[in-house]
Amino acid sequence: MVEIVVKAENLTKLFEVKLGFFKTLLSKESLYVHAVDGVNLDIFKGEILGLAGESGSGKTTTGRLIMRLIEPTSGKIFFKGKDITHLDEDQMKPLRRYMQIVFQDPYESLNPRMTVGDIISEPMKLQGITDEKEVEERVYKILTDAKLVPPEEFIFRYPHELSGGQRQRVATARAFVLDPDFVVADEPVSMLDASIRAEILQLILSLVKTRRTSFLYITHDLALARHVCDRIAIMYLGKIVEQGTTDQLVLEPLHPYTKALMKAVPVPDPSHKRIEVVIKGEIPSPVNPPSGCRFHTRCPSYMGDICKKSEPQLVDMGNGHLVACHQYSKK
Amino acid sequence: MTLLSVQNLTTYYQIRRGFVRAVEDVSFSLERGEAMGLAGESGCGKTTVALSLLKILPPNGKIVRGKILLNDLDVVKLSESELREKIRWKAISLIFQGAMNAMNPMYKVEDQIVEAIRLHEKGVTKKEAKDRVAKLFEMVGLEPERAKGYPHEFSGGMRQRAMIAMALACNPSILIADEPSTALDVIVQAQVLKLLDELKRKLNLAIIMISHDLSIISETCDKLAIMYAGRIVEVGDVLSVFKKPLHPYTQGLIAAFPSIYAPKQEMSAIPGSPPNLLNPPKGCRFAPRCNYSMDICLKESPSLIEADKNHFVACHLVHK
Ligand SMILES: Nc1ncnc2c1ncn2[C@@H]1O[C@H](COP(=O)(O)OP(=O)(O)OP(=O)(O)O)[C@@H](O)[C@H]1O
Ligand SMILES: Nc1ncnc2c1ncn2[C@@H]1O[C@H](COP(=O)(O)OP(=O)(O)OP(=O)(O)O)[C@@H](O)[C@H]1O
Ligand code: SF4
Ligand SMILES: [Mg+2]
Ligand SMILES: [Mg+2]
């Protein structure tokens, strides 16, 4: 039987929009960004679950909620069966060793005043691993695994002395150094070329294989997700619109949005020009998301009133392939 | 006439343990209206090339050798004030890696671009600059009224468009985009790349597109240069480099690229690690990782030779 490591139930996050002083006086109600809206996810032991979708769809917010870095507006989060939704930071601390996050932006997430060596050993220090020798060994090993070699050339450098991709690898090394059970990896290889990327992904895959680590792998690179993830969930404006095994989503996408995403994936072949951009415009404002199906304003299969007025629910099309679109709603 | 000709550009960074030899003997040229992709492993020196072209290296970085001829003017020799008057923004503009967050959150987007214009072109009035911003916004597909907004009100794609508008504010002939779409999702990415392609045609703009993503370069560029550990190892017309890569590193790079429709597989990597740039290998810098390496590869650095028409490679396997 599959063991569920992380479970998100009806997870919702609204951010209050900060208006200028006068605007606050004028408008009676507060406005909210519906960043994540009723998301359910099960992440199994030893699996890589991909979370994909357009910029602003709520992927990072979902990851941060699960890590308990921000407070959910409503909903629950379970880690290994334990409800962690309301634990305070002291109660979370012993769990942090087992749950790690690789932040999306290595330009923002690395402390500019710390050296690479300090950045990577910090999580160990926080967890009370003080044996100098052990710390050093682990730092050297993880730097080598992340291809920041020779390690002694990197441990004394500061983030500004690294290239973009090198910073990204430091962020990954930091998350992996304690051999966690669960990792939220937020675009961990977006700045890396294919070859080094393959190395980092092999590092991820080896953690999955040897330690049965579970990953929530956030990405907008579907070509990559295809080769890395066991299952994929697609988000649009704070909601999951489709979820299934990687093959189901790549080879038989059902939701019009997923289909459009798949068509927009670039192909590394100069004689292949990406055909017309399939859906126009950008994701609508999450402050005032469209009624009914949130995709209806851009949907090429828009079916009129039903899409505009009623919100499609996720339905199981067989073998765990879930989709939320009225084309598939039970008649 | 050739717009830009870079000859033997060599740039080092000084750190406590010595010099990081980030860019070594890099040469290439660019014509008006031509788009060149610059690709290669993380840390191979792509951003350093861009920073060198504008001479905006950090304090510990220095161009130690080489020429950057822009319409026959050597950028390397220019003083700070000449660079400001003639080169930066006006001739060459750069969209920085990670620039999506570079705008100041406290100021309206319009004000930031107006300030940039007035800083680089003396005598432009506020009103003129604002009109220009409106035109630029239209050109990059943003509603001109949006310029009155703050950066956080812009989505990723809109911010990238605004960055492009800002980079074009003083009508440069070369636009360098350093990883312009890594933070964008595929749909917005396709839109931004299409925009760059249109601008290239409309303005006869030369573009240097720095990206680790070969699929993006293959779509938008005429020419492709591959860097490895500070050196250009192969450069040529996009189709021939893709269809007939000559350098073993380029071959590995192309083979490592995942395609969405390929069956799920173990991703191939190029075995080994990039060299230590404080003390790079003496001969070919790729030799320690190369399957074909010969004696000469460990001793002599191969020079870039024209192996095919408009297709240059630096590898001892290829003889003229
Ligand atoms: N701290 C915050 N305050 C207000 N709004 C926020 C905050 N964090 C995120 N948002 C908003 O929530 C929405 C979802 O953002 P999120 O960062 O989760 O998207 P994402 O899917 O990770 O996008 P990307 O692919 O660009 O990283 C966006 O509209 C964003 O502007
Ligand atoms: N300020 C600095 N001081 C010392 N070394 C530096 C500095 N900036 C960059 N480097 C080093 O110079 C080399 C080239 O860096 P550069 O940023 O040009 O790489 P890049 O090709 O742009 O990589 P990426 O794709 O990861 O952005 C790297 O090995 C990097 O560690
Ligand atoms: S419910 Fe309607 S609008 Fe939404 S994706 Fe399906 S067809 Fe399109
Ligand atoms: Mg994000
Ligand atoms: Mg760079």
mmCIF file with all atom_site columns, all heavy atoms in Angstrom, chain A residues 64-83:
data_model
loop_
_atom_site.group_PDB
_atom_site.id
_atom_site.type_symbol
_atom_site.label_atom_id
_atom_site.label_alt_id
_atom_site.label_comp_id
_atom_site.label_asym_id
_atom_site.label_entity_id
_atom_site.label_seq_id
_atom_site.pdbx_PDB_ins_code
_atom_site.Cartn_x
_atom_site.Cartn_y
_atom_site.Cartn_z
_atom_site.occupancy
_atom_site.B_iso_or_equiv
_atom_site.pdbx_formal_charge
_atom_site.auth_seq_id
_atom_site.auth_comp_id
_atom_site.auth_asym_id
_atom_site.auth_atom_id
_atom_site.pdbx_PDB_model_num
ATOM 1   N N   . ARG A 1 64 ? 4.973  26.824 0.060  1.00 0.00 ? 64 ARG A N   1
ATOM 2   C CA  . ARG A 1 64 ? 5.253  27.505 1.333  1.00 0.00 ? 64 ARG A CA  1
ATOM 3   C C   . ARG A 1 64 ? 4.229  27.155 2.400  1.00 0.00 ? 64 ARG A C   1
ATOM 4   O O   . ARG A 1 64 ? 4.549  27.078 3.574  1.00 0.00 ? 64 ARG A O   1
ATOM 5   C CB  . ARG A 1 64 ? 5.265  29.016 1.121  1.00 0.00 ? 64 ARG A CB  1
ATOM 6   C CG  . ARG A 1 64 ? 6.473  29.458 0.337  1.00 0.00 ? 64 ARG A CG  1
ATOM 7   C CD  . ARG A 1 64 ? 6.403  30.947 0.082  1.00 0.00 ? 64 ARG A CD  1
ATOM 8   N NE  . ARG A 1 64 ? 7.697  31.391 -0.382 1.00 0.00 ? 64 ARG A NE  1
ATOM 9   C CZ  . ARG A 1 64 ? 8.503  32.186 0.320  1.00 0.00 ? 64 ARG A CZ  1
ATOM 10  N NH1 . ARG A 1 64 ? 8.132  32.638 1.480  1.00 0.00 ? 64 ARG A NH1 1
ATOM 11  N NH2 . ARG A 1 64 ? 9.667  32.508 -0.153 1.00 0.00 ? 64 ARG A NH2 1
ATOM 12  N N   . LEU A 1 65 ? 2.994  26.972 1.963  1.00 0.00 ? 65 LEU A N   1
ATOM 13  C CA  . LEU A 1 65 ? 1.964  26.577 2.926  1.00 0.00 ? 65 LEU A CA  1
ATOM 14  C C   . LEU A 1 65 ? 2.283  25.204 3.492  1.00 0.00 ? 65 LEU A C   1
ATOM 15  O O   . LEU A 1 65 ? 2.234  24.985 4.705  1.00 0.00 ? 65 LEU A O   1
ATOM 16  C CB  . LEU A 1 65 ? 0.595  26.523 2.237  1.00 0.00 ? 65 LEU A CB  1
ATOM 17  C CG  . LEU A 1 65 ? -0.076 27.865 1.924  1.00 0.00 ? 65 LEU A CG  1
ATOM 18  C CD1 . LEU A 1 65 ? -1.275 27.640 1.013  1.00 0.00 ? 65 LEU A CD1 1
ATOM 19  C CD2 . LEU A 1 65 ? -0.502 28.568 3.203  1.00 0.00 ? 65 LEU A CD2 1
ATOM 20  N N   . ILE A 1 66 ? 2.625  24.283 2.607  1.00 0.00 ? 66 ILE A N   1
ATOM 21  C CA  . ILE A 1 66 ? 2.907  22.927 3.051  1.00 0.00 ? 66 ILE A CA  1
ATOM 22  C C   . ILE A 1 66 ? 4.091  22.901 4.008  1.00 0.00 ? 66 ILE A C   1
ATOM 23  O O   . ILE A 1 66 ? 4.117  22.156 4.977  1.00 0.00 ? 66 ILE A O   1
ATOM 24  C CB  . ILE A 1 66 ? 3.132  22.006 1.834  1.00 0.00 ? 66 ILE A CB  1
ATOM 25  C CG1 . ILE A 1 66 ? 1.799  21.799 1.116  1.00 0.00 ? 66 ILE A CG1 1
ATOM 26  C CG2 . ILE A 1 66 ? 3.746  20.674 2.247  1.00 0.00 ? 66 ILE A CG2 1
ATOM 27  C CD1 . ILE A 1 66 ? 1.876  20.974 -0.132 1.00 0.00 ? 66 ILE A CD1 1
ATOM 28  N N   . MET A 1 67 ? 5.069  23.762 3.755  1.00 0.00 ? 67 MET A N   1
ATOM 29  C CA  . MET A 1 67 ? 6.240  23.846 4.630  1.00 0.00 ? 67 MET A CA  1
ATOM 30  C C   . MET A 1 67 ? 5.953  24.625 5.908  1.00 0.00 ? 67 MET A C   1
ATOM 31  O O   . MET A 1 67 ? 6.834  24.810 6.733  1.00 0.00 ? 67 MET A O   1
ATOM 32  C CB  . MET A 1 67 ? 7.393  24.549 3.909  1.00 0.00 ? 67 MET A CB  1
ATOM 33  C CG  . MET A 1 67 ? 8.031  23.769 2.791  1.00 0.00 ? 67 MET A CG  1
ATOM 34  S SD  . MET A 1 67 ? 8.749  22.231 3.362  1.00 0.00 ? 67 MET A SD  1
ATOM 35  C CE  . MET A 1 67 ? 10.032 22.847 4.431  1.00 0.00 ? 67 MET A CE  1
ATOM 36  N N   . ARG A 1 68 ? 4.761  25.145 6.010  1.00 0.00 ? 68 ARG A N   1
ATOM 37  C CA  . ARG A 1 68 ? 4.369  25.968 7.163  1.00 0.00 ? 68 ARG A CA  1
ATOM 38  C C   . ARG A 1 68 ? 5.238  27.219 7.288  1.00 0.00 ? 68 ARG A C   1
ATOM 39  O O   . ARG A 1 68 ? 5.584  27.652 8.389  1.00 0.00 ? 68 ARG A O   1
ATOM 40  C CB  . ARG A 1 68 ? 4.415  25.171 8.468  1.00 0.00 ? 68 ARG A CB  1
ATOM 41  C CG  . ARG A 1 68 ? 3.342  24.096 8.641  1.00 0.00 ? 68 ARG A CG  1
ATOM 42  C CD  . ARG A 1 68 ? 1.962  24.669 8.896  1.00 0.00 ? 68 ARG A CD  1
ATOM 43  N NE  . ARG A 1 68 ? 1.982  25.914 9.630  1.00 0.00 ? 68 ARG A NE  1
ATOM 44  C CZ  . ARG A 1 68 ? 2.100  26.020 10.947 1.00 0.00 ? 68 ARG A CZ  1
ATOM 45  N NH1 . ARG A 1 68 ? 2.190  24.935 11.680 1.00 0.00 ? 68 ARG A NH1 1
ATOM 46  N NH2 . ARG A 1 68 ? 2.126  27.190 11.524 1.00 0.00 ? 68 ARG A NH2 1
ATOM 47  N N   . LEU A 1 69 ? 5.587  27.809 6.146  1.00 0.00 ? 69 LEU A N   1
ATOM 48  C CA  . LEU A 1 69 ? 6.326  29.066 6.181  1.00 0.00 ? 69 LEU A CA  1
ATOM 49  C C   . LEU A 1 69 ? 5.367  30.230 6.171  1.00 0.00 ? 69 LEU A C   1
ATOM 50  O O   . LEU A 1 69 ? 5.707  31.342 6.549  1.00 0.00 ? 69 LEU A O   1
ATOM 51  C CB  . LEU A 1 69 ? 7.287  29.151 4.986  1.00 0.00 ? 69 LEU A CB  1
ATOM 52  C CG  . LEU A 1 69 ? 8.378  28.089 4.986  1.00 0.00 ? 69 LEU A CG  1
ATOM 53  C CD1 . LEU A 1 69 ? 9.174  28.120 3.692  1.00 0.00 ? 69 LEU A CD1 1
ATOM 54  C CD2 . LEU A 1 69 ? 9.308  28.293 6.172  1.00 0.00 ? 69 LEU A CD2 1
ATOM 55  N N   . ILE A 1 70 ? 4.154  29.981 5.663  1.00 0.00 ? 70 ILE A N   1
ATOM 56  C CA  . ILE A 1 70 ? 3.096  30.985 5.771  1.00 0.00 ? 70 ILE A CA  1
ATOM 57  C C   . ILE A 1 70 ? 1.849  30.285 6.296  1.00 0.00 ? 70 ILE A C   1
ATOM 58  O O   . ILE A 1 70 ? 1.707  29.067 6.169  1.00 0.00 ? 70 ILE A O   1
ATOM 59  C CB  . ILE A 1 70 ? 2.794  31.679 4.419  1.00 0.00 ? 70 ILE A CB  1
ATOM 60  C CG1 . ILE A 1 70 ? 2.626  30.640 3.298  1.00 0.00 ? 70 ILE A CG1 1
ATOM 61  C CG2 . ILE A 1 70 ? 3.873  32.662 4.041  1.00 0.00 ? 70 ILE A CG2 1
ATOM 62  C CD1 . ILE A 1 70 ? 2.252  31.239 1.960  1.00 0.00 ? 70 ILE A CD1 1
ATOM 63  N N   . GLU A 1 71 ? 0.976  31.052 6.910  1.00 0.00 ? 71 GLU A N   1
ATOM 64  C CA  . GLU A 1 71 ? -0.218 30.483 7.526  1.00 0.00 ? 71 GLU A CA  1
ATOM 65  C C   . GLU A 1 71 ? -1.330 30.323 6.503  1.00 0.00 ? 71 GLU A C   1
ATOM 66  O O   . GLU A 1 71 ? -1.639 31.254 5.772  1.00 0.00 ? 71 GLU A O   1
ATOM 67  C CB  . GLU A 1 71 ? -0.725 31.434 8.632  1.00 0.00 ? 71 GLU A CB  1
ATOM 68  C CG  . GLU A 1 71 ? 0.179  31.515 9.833  1.00 0.00 ? 71 GLU A CG  1
ATOM 69  C CD  . GLU A 1 71 ? 0.433  30.143 10.440 1.00 0.00 ? 71 GLU A CD  1
ATOM 70  O OE1 . GLU A 1 71 ? -0.547 29.442 10.738 1.00 0.00 ? 71 GLU A OE1 1
ATOM 71  O OE2 . GLU A 1 71 ? 1.613  29.783 10.601 1.00 0.00 ? 71 GLU A OE2 1
ATOM 72  N N   . PRO A 1 72 ? -1.955 29.156 6.463  1.00 0.00 ? 72 PRO A N   1
ATOM 73  C CA  . PRO A 1 72 ? -3.092 29.024 5.563  1.00 0.00 ? 72 PRO A CA  1
ATOM 74  C C   . PRO A 1 72 ? -4.295 29.822 6.078  1.00 0.00 ? 72 PRO A C   1
ATOM 75  O O   . PRO A 1 72 ? -4.452 30.005 7.280  1.00 0.00 ? 72 PRO A O   1
ATOM 76  C CB  . PRO A 1 72 ? -3.392 27.517 5.587  1.00 0.00 ? 72 PRO A CB  1
ATOM 77  C CG  . PRO A 1 72 ? -2.805 27.021 6.856  1.00 0.00 ? 72 PRO A CG  1
ATOM 78  C CD  . PRO A 1 72 ? -1.655 27.918 7.188  1.00 0.00 ? 72 PRO A CD  1
ATOM 79  N N   . THR A 1 73 ? -5.122 30.284 5.152  1.00 0.00 ? 73 THR A N   1
ATOM 80  C CA  . THR A 1 73 ? -6.359 30.944 5.542  1.00 0.00 ? 73 THR A CA  1
ATOM 81  C C   . THR A 1 73 ? -7.337 29.882 6.052  1.00 0.00 ? 73 THR A C   1
ATOM 82  O O   . THR A 1 73 ? -8.041 30.071 7.027  1.00 0.00 ? 73 THR A O   1
ATOM 83  C CB  . THR A 1 73 ? -6.958 31.689 4.333  1.00 0.00 ? 73 THR A CB  1
ATOM 84  O OG1 . THR A 1 73 ? -5.944 32.522 3.792  1.00 0.00 ? 73 THR A OG1 1
ATOM 85  C CG2 . THR A 1 73 ? -8.160 32.523 4.731  1.00 0.00 ? 73 THR A CG2 1
ATOM 86  N N   . SER A 1 74 ? -7.349 28.742 5.342  1.00 0.00 ? 74 SER A N   1
ATOM 87  C CA  . SER A 1 74 ? -8.107 27.600 5.846  1.00 0.00 ? 74 SER A CA  1
ATOM 88  C C   . SER A 1 74 ? -7.518 26.331 5.247  1.00 0.00 ? 74 SER A C   1
ATOM 89  O O   . SER A 1 74 ? -6.650 26.383 4.386  1.00 0.00 ? 74 SER A O   1
ATOM 90  C CB  . SER A 1 74 ? -9.590 27.734 5.491  1.00 0.00 ? 74 SER A CB  1
ATOM 91  O OG  . SER A 1 74 ? -9.733 27.742 4.095  1.00 0.00 ? 74 SER A OG  1
ATOM 92  N N   . GLY A 1 75 ? -7.999 25.184 5.714  1.00 0.00 ? 75 GLY A N   1
ATOM 93  C CA  . GLY A 1 75 ? -7.478 23.919 5.215  1.00 0.00 ? 75 GLY A CA  1
ATOM 94  C C   . GLY A 1 75 ? -6.480 23.321 6.182  1.00 0.00 ? 75 GLY A C   1
ATOM 95  O O   . GLY A 1 75 ? -6.150 23.921 7.210  1.00 0.00 ? 75 GLY A O   1
ATOM 96  N N   . LYS A 1 76 ? -6.040 22.098 5.861  1.00 0.00 ? 76 LYS A N   1
ATOM 97  C CA  . LYS A 1 76 ? -5.152 21.378 6.771  1.00 0.00 ? 76 LYS A CA  1
ATOM 98  C C   . LYS A 1 76 ? -3.938 20.799 6.061  1.00 0.00 ? 76 LYS A C   1
ATOM 99  O O   . LYS A 1 76 ? -3.990 20.481 4.883  1.00 0.00 ? 76 LYS A O   1
ATOM 100 C CB  . LYS A 1 76 ? -5.928 20.223 7.405  1.00 0.00 ? 76 LYS A CB  1
ATOM 101 C CG  . LYS A 1 76 ? -6.875 20.681 8.480  1.00 0.00 ? 76 LYS A CG  1
ATOM 102 C CD  . LYS A 1 76 ? -7.396 19.497 9.256  1.00 0.00 ? 76 LYS A CD  1
ATOM 103 C CE  . LYS A 1 76 ? -8.228 19.991 10.413 1.00 0.00 ? 76 LYS A CE  1
ATOM 104 N NZ  . LYS A 1 76 ? -9.363 19.113 10.661 1.00 0.00 ? 76 LYS A NZ  1
ATOM 105 N N   . ILE A 1 77 ? -2.876 20.629 6.831  1.00 0.00 ? 77 ILE A N   1
ATOM 106 C CA  . ILE A 1 77 ? -1.666 20.006 6.299  1.00 0.00 ? 77 ILE A CA  1
ATOM 107 C C   . ILE A 1 77 ? -1.257 18.888 7.255  1.00 0.00 ? 77 ILE A C   1
ATOM 108 O O   . ILE A 1 77 ? -1.191 19.091 8.467  1.00 0.00 ? 77 ILE A O   1
ATOM 109 C CB  . ILE A 1 77 ? -0.499 21.014 6.239  1.00 0.00 ? 77 ILE A CB  1
ATOM 110 C CG1 . ILE A 1 77 ? -0.915 22.246 5.430  1.00 0.00 ? 77 ILE A CG1 1
ATOM 111 C CG2 . ILE A 1 77 ? 0.737  20.389 5.622  1.00 0.00 ? 77 ILE A CG2 1
ATOM 112 C CD1 . ILE A 1 77 ? -0.400 23.519 6.015  1.00 0.00 ? 77 ILE A CD1 1
ATOM 113 N N   . PHE A 1 78 ? -1.003 17.711 6.695  1.00 0.00 ? 78 PHE A N   1
ATOM 114 C CA  . PHE A 1 78 ? -0.543 16.587 7.497  1.00 0.00 ? 78 PHE A CA  1
ATOM 115 C C   . PHE A 1 78 ? 0.835  16.174 7.031  1.00 0.00 ? 78 PHE A C   1
ATOM 116 O O   . PHE A 1 78 ? 1.105  16.113 5.831  1.00 0.00 ? 78 PHE A O   1
ATOM 117 C CB  . PHE A 1 78 ? -1.483 15.389 7.317  1.00 0.00 ? 78 PHE A CB  1
ATOM 118 C CG  . PHE A 1 78 ? -2.882 15.659 7.789  1.00 0.00 ? 78 PHE A CG  1
ATOM 119 C CD1 . PHE A 1 78 ? -3.812 16.235 6.938  1.00 0.00 ? 78 PHE A CD1 1
ATOM 120 C CD2 . PHE A 1 78 ? -3.267 15.328 9.084  1.00 0.00 ? 78 PHE A CD2 1
ATOM 121 C CE1 . PHE A 1 78 ? -5.106 16.487 7.360  1.00 0.00 ? 78 PHE A CE1 1
ATOM 122 C CE2 . PHE A 1 78 ? -4.559 15.575 9.512  1.00 0.00 ? 78 PHE A CE2 1
ATOM 123 C CZ  . PHE A 1 78 ? -5.488 16.152 8.653  1.00 0.00 ? 78 PHE A CZ  1
ATOM 124 N N   . PHE A 1 79 ? 1.721  15.891 7.997  1.00 0.00 ? 79 PHE A N   1
ATOM 125 C CA  . PHE A 1 79 ? 3.032  15.343 7.670  1.00 0.00 ? 79 PHE A CA  1
ATOM 126 C C   . PHE A 1 79 ? 3.147  13.998 8.368  1.00 0.00 ? 79 PHE A C   1
ATOM 127 O O   . PHE A 1 79 ? 3.027  13.928 9.593  1.00 0.00 ? 79 PHE A O   1
ATOM 128 C CB  . PHE A 1 79 ? 4.125  16.295 8.126  1.00 0.00 ? 79 PHE A CB  1
ATOM 129 C CG  . PHE A 1 79 ? 5.521  15.802 7.841  1.00 0.00 ? 79 PHE A CG  1
ATOM 130 C CD1 . PHE A 1 79 ? 5.947  15.562 6.534  1.00 0.00 ? 79 PHE A CD1 1
ATOM 131 C CD2 . PHE A 1 79 ? 6.409  15.568 8.876  1.00 0.00 ? 79 PHE A CD2 1
ATOM 132 C CE1 . PHE A 1 79 ? 7.227  15.103 6.272  1.00 0.00 ? 79 PHE A CE1 1
ATOM 133 C CE2 . PHE A 1 79 ? 7.706  15.110 8.624  1.00 0.00 ? 79 PHE A CE2 1
ATOM 134 C CZ  . PHE A 1 79 ? 8.108  14.876 7.312  1.00 0.00 ? 79 PHE A CZ  1
ATOM 135 N N   . LYS A 1 80 ? 3.310  12.939 7.620  1.00 0.00 ? 80 LYS A N   1
ATOM 136 C CA  . LYS A 1 80 ? 3.345  11.581 8.146  1.00 0.00 ? 80 LYS A CA  1
ATOM 137 C C   . LYS A 1 80 ? 2.158  11.331 9.082  1.00 0.00 ? 80 LYS A C   1
ATOM 138 O O   . LYS A 1 80 ? 2.318  10.849 10.206 1.00 0.00 ? 80 LYS A O   1
ATOM 139 C CB  . LYS A 1 80 ? 4.646  11.327 8.892  1.00 0.00 ? 80 LYS A CB  1
ATOM 140 C CG  . LYS A 1 80 ? 5.865  11.363 7.989  1.00 0.00 ? 80 LYS A CG  1
ATOM 141 C CD  . LYS A 1 80 ? 7.084  10.953 8.774  1.00 0.00 ? 80 LYS A CD  1
ATOM 142 C CE  . LYS A 1 80 ? 8.316  10.881 7.908  1.00 0.00 ? 80 LYS A CE  1
ATOM 143 N NZ  . LYS A 1 80 ? 9.533  10.761 8.693  1.00 0.00 ? 80 LYS A NZ  1
ATOM 144 N N   . GLY A 1 81 ? 0.983  11.720 8.643  1.00 0.00 ? 81 GLY A N   1
ATOM 145 C CA  . GLY A 1 81 ? -0.226 11.446 9.391  1.00 0.00 ? 81 GLY A CA  1
ATOM 146 C C   . GLY A 1 81 ? -0.533 12.425 10.512 1.00 0.00 ? 81 GLY A C   1
ATOM 147 O O   . GLY A 1 81 ? -1.618 12.401 11.083 1.00 0.00 ? 81 GLY A O   1
ATOM 148 N N   . LYS A 1 82 ? 0.426  13.298 10.809 1.00 0.00 ? 82 LYS A N   1
ATOM 149 C CA  . LYS A 1 82 ? 0.227  14.205 11.925 1.00 0.00 ? 82 LYS A CA  1
ATOM 150 C C   . LYS A 1 82 ? -0.258 15.566 11.417 1.00 0.00 ? 82 LYS A C   1
ATOM 151 O O   . LYS A 1 82 ? 0.309  16.119 10.480 1.00 0.00 ? 82 LYS A O   1
ATOM 152 C CB  . LYS A 1 82 ? 1.570  14.349 12.649 1.00 0.00 ? 82 LYS A CB  1
ATOM 153 C CG  . LYS A 1 82 ? 1.570  15.279 13.810 1.00 0.00 ? 82 LYS A CG  1
ATOM 154 C CD  . LYS A 1 82 ? 2.957  15.279 14.458 1.00 0.00 ? 82 LYS A CD  1
ATOM 155 C CE  . LYS A 1 82 ? 3.049  16.495 15.370 1.00 0.00 ? 82 LYS A CE  1
ATOM 156 N NZ  . LYS A 1 82 ? 3.860  16.294 16.530 1.00 0.00 ? 82 LYS A NZ  1
ATOM 157 N N   . ASP A 1 83 ? -1.289 16.074 12.036 1.00 0.00 ? 83 ASP A N   1
ATOM 158 C CA  . ASP A 1 83 ? -1.808 17.387 11.636 1.00 0.00 ? 83 ASP A CA  1
ATOM 159 C C   . ASP A 1 83 ? -0.842 18.466 12.108 1.00 0.00 ? 83 ASP A C   1
ATOM 160 O O   . ASP A 1 83 ? -0.677 18.690 13.304 1.00 0.00 ? 83 ASP A O   1
ATOM 161 C CB  . ASP A 1 83 ? -3.189 17.591 12.264 1.00 0.00 ? 83 ASP A CB  1
ATOM 162 C CG  . ASP A 1 83 ? -3.832 18.892 11.782 1.00 0.00 ? 83 ASP A CG  1
ATOM 163 O OD1 . ASP A 1 83 ? -3.109 19.730 11.194 1.00 0.00 ? 83 ASP A OD1 1
ATOM 164 O OD2 . ASP A 1 83 ? -5.047 19.056 11.991 1.00 0.00 ? 83 ASP A OD2 1
#
